[in-house]
């Protein structure tokens, strides 16, 4: 039976953890190191660190932050933020990350995914996809870390998923933009639609507001895990209590 993962996410901008609603109006919600330690101690299965501003100003995630977090946690650690080359990815992995995630740079140059998979193995390469319903179809957006740079790429999400797995991605994080920060449940319909054409693990992202939302996404889709941010940052419940609840609901949780 598939063991599902609970993954907290640190969206970072200007050296603080921030959170917005539908990728807008970001507010500071905490300290990077303090939250990383908190989620490690609560039993998170993995930690994701997104420098959400990096691609908007043509920067790259700070290796110093990666080193500082890696020293404090002992769970798998995925890092994203403007990584555009094998060389940049190598620096991040050598600084303590277990996986790198690419989003906008991969849209701009899809062969980046193949280069990373070829160098480090598919298990190290995650592709983040920011997806929004536009006129009856799901479309990929890029540079979503700032509402002023967010761009409709005109690429259909379903087409992009097929392409990234062909290029060697090992995992997809599907960010359902309409649900981001709203806390009214994951986008079950969209997740099932996209998971049905993916032969690599897909992590559900966007919409967690209650423990039941996690139960619903993990029982009603074949997502490999559920990623969330604001429910954990705002202490609506902690990861250990969530896992106890999910196990009582007969879910196979680590």
């Amino acid at each position: 039976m598939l063991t599902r993962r609970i993954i907290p996410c640190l969206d970072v901008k200007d050296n603080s953890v921030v959170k917005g609603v539908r990728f807008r109006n970001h507010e500071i919600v905490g300290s990077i190191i303090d939250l990383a330690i908190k989620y490690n101690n609560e039993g998170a299965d993995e930690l994701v660190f997104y420098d959400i501003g990096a691609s908007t100003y043509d920067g790259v995630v700070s290796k110093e932050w990666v080193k500082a977090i890696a020293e404090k946690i002992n769970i798998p650690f995925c890092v994203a933020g403007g990584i555009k080359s094998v060389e940049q990815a190598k620096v991040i992995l050598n600084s303590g990350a277990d996986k790198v995630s690419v989003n906008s740079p991969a849209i701009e140059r899809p062969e980046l995914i193949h280069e990373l998979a070829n160098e480090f193995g598919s298990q190290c390469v995650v592709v983040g996809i920011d997806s929004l319903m536009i006129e009856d179809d799901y479309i990929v957006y890029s540079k979503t870390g700032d509402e002023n740079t967010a761009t409709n790429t005109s690429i259909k999400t379903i087409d992009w998923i097929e392409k990234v797995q062909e290029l060697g991605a090992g995992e997809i994080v599907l960010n359902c933009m309409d649900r981001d920060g709203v806390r009214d449940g994951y986008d079950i319909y969209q997740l099932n639609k996209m998971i049905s054409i993916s032969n690599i693990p897909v992590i559900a992202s966007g919409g967690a507001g209650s423990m039941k939302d996690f139960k619903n996404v993990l029982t009603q889709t074949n997502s490999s895990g559920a990623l969330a941010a604001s429910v954990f940052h705002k202490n609506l419940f902690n990861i250990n209590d969530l896992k106890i609840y999910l196990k009582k609901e007969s879910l196979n949780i680590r």
Side-chain angles (χ1 to χ4, degrees), residues 98-157:
D98 298 287
K99 297 190 279 190
V100 291
S101 180
V102 290
N103 188 326
S104 298
I107 294 167
E108 293 167 2
R109 197 172 68 84
E111 57 268 31
L112 172 63
I113 299 167
H114 174 72
E115 292 166 4
L116 294 172
N118 195 50
E119 180 74 20
F120 306 113
S122 291
Q123 78 283 353
C124 280
V125 183
V126 180
V127 174
I129 300 177
D130 300 329
S131 177
L132 184 66
M133 173 69 84
I134 302 289
E135 295 179 356
D136 299 325
D137 216 335
Y138 293 106
I139 301 296
V140 177
Y141 270 66
S142 67
K143 299 189 176 180
T144 56
D146 188 310
E147 59 196 77
N148 296 311
T149 59
T151 303
N152 178 337
T153 67
S154 298
I155 301 168
K156 291 183 179 181
T157 304

Side-chain angles (χ1 to χ4, degrees), residues 188-215:
I188 303 295
Y189 176 82
Q190 181 179 182
L191 286 161
N192 277 325
K193 184 178 176 73
M194 302 309 166
I195 290 168
S196 72
I197 55 98
S198 178
N199 56 25
I200 59 176
V202 175
I203 301 298
S205 174
S210 68
M211 291 191 189
K212 190 174 181 181
D213 290 334
F214 285 88
K215 174 192 170 184

